Amino acid sequence: LPEPARIAEFTLRVLTQRHDLDGETVLITAGPTREPLDPVRFISNRSSGKMGYALAEAASERGARVLLVSGPVQLDPPAGVELMRVQTAREMRDAVMERLAESSIIIKTAAVADYHVANVPKQKVKKTAMRLSLELDPTPDILAEVGAEIERRATGQLLIGFAAETENVVAEAKRKLQAKKCDMVVANDVSADGTGFESDENEVVLAMRTGEVAPLGRAAKRVLADQILDHAMQLRLALHKSR
Ligand code: C5P
């Protein structure tokens, strides 16, 4: 049996929990992708997946059915979410497109690698004394593809993207909002200390299709996850988007 304090905490959470996401299906991508260079090496980035997993937990606790498409991370999936593990941007794209139609809210937290090696050698690349050049091709931009698809089909699904920036955070968020046809872009300054990649905390600005810009103060990613979902639900009302 768990400790009484744990039981009390859990009971309190269940009793006070909102169920404002009942009936929603939330598709979330999280973590980095890995793009192989050869059978033993890959290109990736420092994404820990913490923000995406926090959103998955928050959405699930608020009553949503959660589909979590995750790159390789060191995290346990939150209870009750459906986890799909992927490695590459191509695999992430395929998983997202397969589950898109059944989703009412799509949140793209993943730090997708922007480039990959088109023809991965079958054997390990040997070390030589010579300089080695890599020829890289762009990966599919999943968010842009989803945004175009939602617009084309006029499905009313709510689309939320993320933007990790090192300068002009709000201007970049607004540019991405338009370029990728999102309803909201959650932007954070990854050059700041103690927030962003790998950290348990973050400080983000929300740029919304309505023109509203909402800075959320520095907080734990799990706390921000609930605030982002609060804004998403309000935004959907403002945009008259349907479930
Ligand atoms: O353009 P940038 O990569 O900064 O945009 C970030 C947003 O786009 C994130 O929501 C990320 O998940 C998404 N993205 C994507 N596919 C890519 C690159 C980024 O879905 N190939």
Side-chain angles (χ1 to χ4, degrees), residues 52-223:
Y53 276 57
L55 277 160
E57 183 176 273
S60 176
E61 286 183 1
R62 287 165 69 159
R65 177 173 161 246
V66 177
L67 312 174
L68 178 60
V69 179
S70 176
V73 297
Q74 306 291 323
L75 299 171
D76 292 326
V81 314
E82 186 181 336
L83 178 69
M84 285 151 278
R85 291 183 203 276
V86 298
Q87 295 276 325
T88 65
R90 170 53 59 179
E91 288 170 11
M92 184 170 277
R93 183 238 165 241
D94 291 349
V96 166
M97 296 319 279
E98 197 181 310
R99 308 305 295 266
L100 182 59
E102 66 195 279
S103 307
S104 51
I105 300 176
I106 301 101
I107 310 180
K108 297 226 66 260
T109 348
V112 185
D114 290 323
Y115 291 94
H116 73 129
V117 172
N119 296 307
V120 180
K122 294 234 171 348
Q123 307 300 332
K124 186 179 167 192
V125 175
K126 296 273 181 249
K127 183 170 80 176
T128 69
M130 306 288 285
R131 170 174 288 167
L132 176 72
S133 298
L134 287 174
E135 193 163 298
L136 302 174
D137 286 330
T139 53
D141 191 322
I142 311 166
L143 184 59
E145 186 175 347
V146 170
E149 184 74 2
I150 290 174
E151 188 174 85
R152 191 170 67 82
R153 291 178 182 261
T155 57
Q157 292 157 294
L158 195 77
L159 180 61
I160 302 175
F162 270 66
E165 305 296 340
T166 53
E167 56 184 351
N168 304 328
V169 176
V170 174
E172 267 307 300
K174 287 183 168 173
R175 192 187 61 74
K176 274 180 196 164
L177 194 65
Q178 293 224 327
K180 304 198 185 203
K181 304 181 196 303
C182 296
D183 298 302
M184 181 197 289
V185 167
V186 182
N188 67 312
D189 186 344
V190 285
S191 63
D193 266 355
T195 59
F197 287 144
E198 293 164 347
S199 167
D200 287 324
E201 291 196 328
N202 214 349
E203 186 173 341
V204 301
V205 182
L206 313 183
M208 282 164 276
R209 193 190 270 272
T210 49
E212 193 192 339
V213 172
L216 305 183
R218 181 168 173 162
K221 286 181 175 172
R222 181 63 183 80
V223 171

